[in-house]
Amino acid sequence: MTDLSVSSSSLAKTLLPPFSFSLRPNVPKRLRFCRKSASFLRKPSSISRQNKLAVVTAIQVSTQSENDGFVLEDVPHLTNFLPDLPSYPNPLRKSQAYSIVKKNFVSPEDVVAQNVAIQKGSPRGVHFRRAGPREKIYFEPEEVRACIVTCGGLCPGINTVIREIVCGLNIMYGVHDILGIEGGYKGFYSKNTLMLTPKLVNDIHKRGGTFLRTSRGGHDTHKIVDNIEDRGINQVYIIGGDGTQKGASLIYEEVIRRGLQVAVAGIPKTIDNDIAVIDKSFGFETAVEEAQRAIDAAHVEVESVENGVGIVKLMGRYSGFIAMYATQASRDVDCCLIPESPFYLEGRGGLFEFIEERLKENGHLVIVVAEGAGQEYVTAEGHDAGKTDASGNKLLLDVGPWLSDKIKNHFTMFRKMAVNMKYIDPTYMIRAIPSNASDNIYCTLLAHGAVHGAMAGFTGFTVGPVNGRHAYIPIARVTERQKTVRLSDRMWARLLLSTNQPGFVASDKEKVDKEVTN
């Protein structure tokens, strides 16, 4: 990347006319501007159409030959839209901690491959910029006013991410002006803020939930960016799931349209682990670990009674990762039902037949069901459906009690067989706890990666591990689809081997055979 550094006197000549200085008690002198005085920045018409709308177009790059299939899905940089933006030496050069690192800064040429297992001679495929500190930054620390906002549902580790963004900005880069936006996106225009310091957030990682509070919906892009301008914010850190990151993308696009020097960084959050591209979402390991407690409880209960049937409902709106991983880890689960794998109740190879066989064999069984599984059956029985929450997510019908009633009625009325049903729903226990040690470390890496990226001038990006290496990913890439369990992968095959449950595919074959016969 070209070094656009200029002398301090030249910088002053460039910045002084449009900026007005403002001194505030206990806050370092910083450069501020309001919406009315922002006209000195590049007008939208002066930004090329390609850069203005690029959340990012894949850029073909070749280091060996023009046909090696190397694709870099790059993230936007502030200099794409503000080409005269000066750069500054990274203060980490003088950091005693970083002095022990053999290679202090990430090279502009460092990339992370989306696919690491490829065949000889095949295209090298998609790559992303590797996350980490750069030799040059595009914000002077004393001029930074950052803000952090958390949106959507709870997840273990949110407070750790908040803490490490604050400490990373302050300790690594010397940034002292950090705002917490309270109550989700609505907080931007309801004036709910507090000043965040390392001392204030020192022990929040030991608590569940979010220190900044959260909400769903309330996304008015123009109002939010108006507020960002009015407050002189130039770095925005957004922690949230799919809907939140889509909102972050809209904020980034509006910032570009107005030609503002504002870096927008996303930290993807979802307990369901359904964020595309990245290896896993933070809090997922903690959720799986906590789910074990519910499965263990169900197993103890059903072992202690005759014909005990335990049902544990776990989170998983559209993706069954928590249910699948918790089942694999437990070894006490007899059947796992997830949204990606249809199942049926009656007939040969159905769930009722499997339950009866397992009860005759072991005298008990445990079923894990993801909240999104079997929704078509519950809806078909006339239950209310089609409603959405404030974020636009479809409100699911409660499959757990429905399945419990179906099993109990079938064996009591038709099989004349008494079963002892035990139903456990640990949903809020799983998402409201603090993150475990592994997730705490992971959250630290995410937070620091976001801070390094924003300070280096990248914007419109999210950060996460891709094949074990943290990378900067265009926000649009992680929101274009939801990651789901692939029933053709080895992980699902391992689960079927572990539980020895039916594949629930015979019913469809029987339907086809019946249609052919008729």
Side-chain angles (χ1 to χ4, degrees):
M1 189 172 293
T2 304
D3 183 3
L4 299 174
S5 299
V6 294
S7 66
S8 58
S9 60
S10 173
L11 177 64
K13 290 178 182 178
T14 304
L15 297 181
L16 276 174
F19 277 97
S20 59
F21 285 89
S22 175
L23 290 173
R24 295 168 55 220
N26 303 319
V27 177
K29 183 169 74 172
R30 60 187 180 81
L31 300 174
R32 302 190 66 194
F33 64 89
C34 64
R35 214 181 326 155
K36 293 180 180 178
S37 63
S39 59
F40 74 97
L41 291 169
R42 288 188 168 270
K43 296 180 180 179
S45 58
S46 66
I47 301 174
S48 71
R49 182 181 179 187
Q50 180 181 4
N51 286 333
K52 176 182 175 183
L53 298 178
V55 174
V56 152
T57 302
I59 302 172
Q60 296 290 336
V61 179
S62 176
T63 57
Q64 297 177 1
S65 69
E66 293 185 1
N67 298 315
D68 66 356
F70 181 101
V71 178
L72 174 63
E73 288 204 6
D74 209 351
V75 294
H77 194 274
L78 290 173
T79 54
N80 297 146
F81 322 111
L82 303 169
D84 298 326
L85 202 63
S87 64
Y88 312 94
N90 194 320
L92 285 174
R93 291 184 310 152
K94 301 178 181 179
S95 168
Q96 187 174 4
Y98 267 77
S99 64
I100 66 171
V101 181
K102 186 176 180 180
K103 188 178 179 182
N104 286 21
F105 301 110
V106 174
S107 166
E109 304 301 320
D110 286 357
V111 295
V112 177
Q114 184 171 14
N115 296 313
V116 292
I118 60 174
Q119 293 181 334
K120 183 179 180 181
S122 62
R124 293 177 62 188
V126 173
H127 295 69
F128 303 101
R129 285 201 180 273
R130 187 176 179 182
R134 264 52 180 181
E135 191 170 3
K136 296 291 183 181
I137 61 174
Y138 286 81
F139 292 93
E140 287 198 282
E142 62 269 19
E143 295 174 10
V144 171
R145 165 166 269 202
C147 75
I148 306 170
V149 63
T150 60
C151 307
L154 297 183
C155 178
I158 298 176
N159 282 334
T160 306
V161 175
I162 295 170
R163 181 190 190 277
E164 295 308 320
I165 291 175
V166 174
C167 293
L169 282 167
N170 183 272
I171 297 170
M172 292 191 294
Y173 288 98
V175 174
H176 298 282
D177 200 352
I178 309 168
L179 293 176
I181 307 297
E182 296 184 288
Y185 277 137
K186 294 177 182 177
F188 274 104
Y189 40 88
S190 61
K191 311 300 181 185
N192 297 328
T193 62
L194 72 160
M195 294 295 297
L196 300 177
T197 64
K199 184 176 181 179
L200 182 65
V201 301
N202 182 56
D203 63 352
I204 64 173
H205 63 290
K206 299 176 183 178
R207 303 177 232 160
T210 166
F211 176 72
L212 295 176
R213 295 185 290 113
T214 186
S215 66
R216 293 189 182 276
H219 190 277
D220 186 321
T221 303
H222 292 281
K223 278 187 178 182
I224 290 172
V225 178
D226 284 349
N227 188 274
I228 288 170
E229 282 195 73
D230 290 341
R231 293 184 179 180
I233 294 169
N234 51 20
Q235 289 186 11
V236 183
Y237 297 90
I238 301 172
I239 306 168
D242 179 73
T244 302
Q245 297 305 315
K246 288 178 180 176
S249 184
L250 293 174
I251 291 170
Y252 151 71
E253 290 174 7
E254 179 63 16
V255 163
I256 292 175
R257 192 188 68 79
R258 301 188 190 190
L260 306 177
Q261 185 189 342
V262 177
V264 179
I267 297 92
K269 168 200 67 67
T270 170
I271 200 169
D272 291 343
N273 195 38
D274 59 358
I275 296 288
V277 182
I278 65 173
D279 297 344
K280 65 177 179 179
S281 53
F282 73 81
F284 175 69
E285 287 192 7
T286 305
V288 171
E289 187 176 293
E290 186 67 13
Q292 299 304 291
R293 300 178 187 273
I295 294 173
D296 290 345
H299 188 247
V300 169
E301 287 284 346
V302 299
E303 268 193 322
S304 304
V305 295
E306 184 180 4
N307 291 333
V309 178
I311 295 180
V312 179
K313 188 185 81 171
L314 297 176
M315 299 186 76
R317 183 182 295 273
Y318 304 111
S319 304
F321 287 104
I322 292 179
M324 180 175 70
Y325 275 78
T327 295
Q328 291 260 50
S330 170
R331 303 294 193 274
D332 288 328
V333 178
D334 297 273
C335 185
C336 177
L337 306 174
I338 61 174
E340 297 90 335
S341 179
F343 67 94
Y344 58 99
L345 300 177
E346 300 178 356
R348 184 159 53 89
L351 183 61
F352 289 156
E353 182 183 76
F354 173 74
I355 292 172
E356 185 171 353
E357 291 175 356
R358 195 55 62 94
L359 286 176
K360 289 178 180 178
E361 181 181 351
N362 297 332
H364 64 270
L365 86 159
V366 174
I367 299 171
V368 166
V369 57
E371 60 181 330
Q375 289 295 308
E376 65 276 18
Y377 298 122
V378 192
T379 304
E381 294 193 1
H383 296 271
D384 191 22
K387 295 181 180 179
T388 58
D389 62 19
S391 298
N393 297 315
K394 181 181 177 181
L395 291 176
L396 300 178
L397 303 173
D398 201 339
V399 68
W402 173 86
L403 184 59
S404 297
D405 290 342
K406 283 291 182 182
I407 294 172
K408 187 172 183 178
N409 291 340
H410 172 80
F411 283 97
T412 301
M413 298 174 62
F414 299 103
R415 305 302 296 171
K416 306 300 180 183
M417 178 180 175
V419 293
N420 284 288
M421 296 297 307
K422 308 294 180 182
Y423 175 63
I424 298 177
D425 180 357
T427 301
Y428 292 101
M429 293 172 58
I430 286 175
R431 75 178 201 171
I433 62 173
S435 53
N436 63 14
S438 177
D439 270 323
N440 263 334
I441 295 170
Y442 177 32
C443 289
T444 300
L445 296 176
L446 287 174
H448 286 188
V451 167
H452 291 316
M455 291 299 295
F458 294 112
T459 184
F461 72 92
T462 190
V463 63
V466 179
N467 291 313
R469 295 288 185 179
H470 283 249
Y472 296 137
I473 307 161
I475 292 179
R477 283 287 271 114
V478 300
T479 60
E480 65 186 6
R481 66 177 181 85
Q482 287 179 311
K483 183 170 67 175
T484 56
V485 174
R486 295 178 60 181
L487 302 183
S488 58
D489 277 0
R490 290 186 178 88
M491 194 65 180
W492 184 247
R494 293 188 192 104
L495 180 140
L496 296 179
L497 285 172
S498 172
T499 62
N500 199 27
Q501 69 189 62
F504 300 116
V505 294
S507 179
D508 293 333
K509 184 178 182 300
E510 288 174 359
K511 290 178 182 178
V512 172
D513 291 342
K514 187 175 180 181
E515 289 173 359
V516 171
T517 303
N518 293 337

